[in-house]
């Protein structure tokens, strides 16, 4: 059988020549339940984009859909196109995805051990990824490149590190090894899902710095999932905000953090700032909790927790293009110049629960 061409300059680009990733109308379902819906965004070459939102908002499922790594039983719909790859990643079989993963698109997850083979020396693990994707012609040059990559991620004696097994490293060092593997083939896009969350506070900043430097040196784009807004401010140029399986807002980091337009973003930013108190002097948090997946209210998904909700919010908010992405417009957006305090107490906690 003639192999289908997978990559190359002739393959379709997502849209503009600058786009690396184009996600259109992405949905994820399990049984009849919608876990992610209508997610639409674009990442340009070399762009670093943060993805934030409370626990359960659908960040990881979005990233896993892009990687073709959704857990058993979950189904993605819509389209995910990567520049230079001639087929849609949604619905691509494992053989095709394994040619893309680790080459055009690579990932760093929270727990490094899930990405490492405990029985193989780390130098060999890095060399393998270079050889599988034919980035290096032979084993000797792949091994030399592995040592160089271990040096780039700041391991003090890279030649000795290459000979060690994963259990011989600390958590922070293991995440550096994972980063070396992820960056080995100079991916066009690096996907990071809370890569520093499991690490000691003292090493978090150093690993973050290595990630940012690694993608900058390669001009790789980055999708970075985190709960830490300060990390987004440091590492990313643009930020996307997710809630209830949908993107509710996106824009340049400075703009979204200082002038959020969606009430959910406003609450999230208020809740992350320990200096922000409400009119009764209490620390601002978003009242209420995220409903279970598939049980978000109709209309605006944030409606049952939003102090500003009115009847109009029960109708589906308009889906609007916002620069390279789309998001749901808020019917009562935050007035310009009002900063980002908390959302106050919701007046309609039970509205639309279902
Ligand atoms: N395998 C699964 N089967 C059923 N539901 C799932 C599955 N994986 C995730 N979900 C549900 O989908 C929703 C979104 O999950 P996801 O892991 O994307 O959230 P998240 O934004 O990454 O949260 P966190 O910040 O806690 O990592 C959650 O409500 C979760 O319970
Ligand atoms: S004001 Fe309405 S549309 Fe805006 S976040 Fe609140 S409930 Fe949603
Ligand atoms: Mg997650």
């Amino acid at each position: 059988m003639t192999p289908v061409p997978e990559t190359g300059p002739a393959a379709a680009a997502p849209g503009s020549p600058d786009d690396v990733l184009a996600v259109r109308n992405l949905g994820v379902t399990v049984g009849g339940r919608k876990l992610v819906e209508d997610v639409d965004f674009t990442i340009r070459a070399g762009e670093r984009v943060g993805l934030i939102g409370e626990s359960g908002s659908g960040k990881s499922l979005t990233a896993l859909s892009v990687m073709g790594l959704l857990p058993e039983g979950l189904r993605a719909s819509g389209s995910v196109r990567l520049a230079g790859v001639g087929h849609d990643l949604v619905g691509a079989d494992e053989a095709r995805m394994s040619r893309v993963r680790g080459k055009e698109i690579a990932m760093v997850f929270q727990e490094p051990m899930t990405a490492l083979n405990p029985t193989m020396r780390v130098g060999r693990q890095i060399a393998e990824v270079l050889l599988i994707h034919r980035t290096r012609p032979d084993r000797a040059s792949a091994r030399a490149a592995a040592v160089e990559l271990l040096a780039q991620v700041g391991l003090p004696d890279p030649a000795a590190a290459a000979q060690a097994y994963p259990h011989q490293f600390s958590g922070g060092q293991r995440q550096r090894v994972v980063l070396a593997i992820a960056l080995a083939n100079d991916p066009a896009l690096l996907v990071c899902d809370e890569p520093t969350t499991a690490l000691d506070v003292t090493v978090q900043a150093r690993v973050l710095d290595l990630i940012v430097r690694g993608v900058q040196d390669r001009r790789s784009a980055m999708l970075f999932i985190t709960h830490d807004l300060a990390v987004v401010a440091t590492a990313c140029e643009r930020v996307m905000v997710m809630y209830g399986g949908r993107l509710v807002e996106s824009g340049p980091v400075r703009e979204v953090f200082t002038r959020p337009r969606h009430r959910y973003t406003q609450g999230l930013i208020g809740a992350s700032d320990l200096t922000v108190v409400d009119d009764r002097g209490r620390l601002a948090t978003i009242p209420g909790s995220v409903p279970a997946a598939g049980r978000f209210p109709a209309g605006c998904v944030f409606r049952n927790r939003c102090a500003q909700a009115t009847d109009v919010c029960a109708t589906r908010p308009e889906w609007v293009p916002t620069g390279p992405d789309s998001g749901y417009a808020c019917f009562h957006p935050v007035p310009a110049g009002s900063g980002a305090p908390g959302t106050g107490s919701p007046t309609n906690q039970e509205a639309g629960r279902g």
Side-chain angles (χ1 to χ4, degrees), residues 30 33 35 53-62 71 74 194 227 293:
V30 60
R33 284 191 304 143
L35 304 177
E54 286 167 290
S55 199
S57 55
K59 306 179 298 296
S60 292
L61 291 184
T62 300
L74 270 58
E194 305 199 45
H227 284 263

Side-chain angles (χ1 to χ4, degrees), residues 261-263 266 306-313 329-335:
R261 290 177 306 147
H262 201 283
R263 295 284 172 180
Q266 183 192 26
C306 179
Q308 282 74 27
T310 62
D311 289 348
V312 71
C313 306
C330 171
F331 281 118
H332 307 289
V334 182

